């Protein structure tokens, strides 16, 4: 367990002092855990598993994540990327949609704004604008939550 604790800390670029601050223990306690002199208590094992995004099983006995957990993480990553990508693509297409809407307005009403981007703040283009922004925000939120 001592080697895993040290490797996880170094992989996440924490010094012993920084980890100790996060766990509200002394640097000497972290050093003793990593040297195998003592073992962290259950609360600290749980805190480190959350911090390092590994299971408590991995910290205690070295068992890797199950394929089910990896599959769930991959699904969340794909969902986040899909939302983010869709939002970005929709945002890039907004000027084209606005131009098409401007042409439709001119054809049906005989007049239109001179700048097609003004339509982005009017219904129904406002809905598309909000949808694009929501896709980006939700995508980032899902990816950050991972």
């Amino acid at each position: 367990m001592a080697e895993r604790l040290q490797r996880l800390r170094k992989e996440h670029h924490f010094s012993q002092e920084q980890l100790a601050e996060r766990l509200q223990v002394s640097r000497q306690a972290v050093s003793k855990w990593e040297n195998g002199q003592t073992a962290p208590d259950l609360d600290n094992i749980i805190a480190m598993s959350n911090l390092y995004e590994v299971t408590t099983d991995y910290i205690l006995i070295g068992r890797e994540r199950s394929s089910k957990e990896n599959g769930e993480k991959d699904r969340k990553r794909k969902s986040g990327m899909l939302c983010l990508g869709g939002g970005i693509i929709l945002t890039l297409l907004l000027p084209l949609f606005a131009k098409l809407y401007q042409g439709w307005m001119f054809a049906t009403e005989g007049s239109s704004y001179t700048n097609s981007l003004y339509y982005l703040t009017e219904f129904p283009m406002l809905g598309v604008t909000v949808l694009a922004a929501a896709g980006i925000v939700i995508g980032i939120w899902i990816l950050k939550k991972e």
Side-chain angles (χ1 to χ4, degrees):
M1 179 168 70
E3 291 174 8
R4 280 188 300 282
L5 291 174
Q6 186 176 41
R7 188 179 70 251
L8 285 167
R9 178 181 57 78
K10 288 181 178 180
E11 284 175 0
H12 287 82
H13 308 289
F14 289 121
S15 67
Q16 286 183 343
E17 184 69 36
Q18 290 168 325
L19 179 61
E21 284 178 25
R22 285 198 171 220
L23 299 177
Q24 298 178 346
V25 298
S26 68
R27 185 200 57 77
Q28 290 82 3
V30 173
S31 178
K32 287 180 181 180
W33 299 341
E34 291 180 357
N35 290 326
Q37 294 173 347
T38 62
D41 63 17
L42 186 57
D43 290 335
N44 286 318
I45 290 172
I46 292 169
M48 285 186 284
S49 77
N50 290 330
L51 180 65
Y52 298 142
E53 296 179 345
V54 296
T55 63
T56 53
D57 282 355
Y58 178 74
I59 291 175
L60 292 168
I61 59 177
R63 188 172 6 162
E64 294 289 337
R65 288 185 176 145
S66 70
S67 60
K68 181 181 177 184
E69 290 170 330
N70 287 335
E72 178 70 17
K73 192 169 186 171
D74 287 345
R75 188 187 63 74
K76 286 181 181 177
R77 181 177 290 121
K78 286 177 184 176
S79 297
M81 292 300 289
L82 183 64
C83 285
L84 182 61
I88 290 171
I89 290 170
L90 201 53
T91 300
L92 294 173
L93 292 174
L94 279 173
L96 173 65
F97 293 152
K99 192 71 172 166
L100 292 171
Y101 188 68
Q102 178 188 31
W104 179 78
M105 287 296 287
F106 187 76
T108 58
E109 303 207 5
S111 66
S112 65
Y113 290 130
T114 55
N115 185 346
S116 63
L117 295 180
Y118 291 149
Y119 288 106
L120 295 180
T121 60
E122 291 187 3
F123 183 81
M125 288 302 301
L126 182 59
V128 177
T129 305
V130 169
L131 188 62
I136 293 171
V137 169
I138 291 170
I140 290 171
W141 178 72
I142 290 171
L143 292 172
K144 287 251 186 200
K145 201 171 87 165
E146 227 177 76

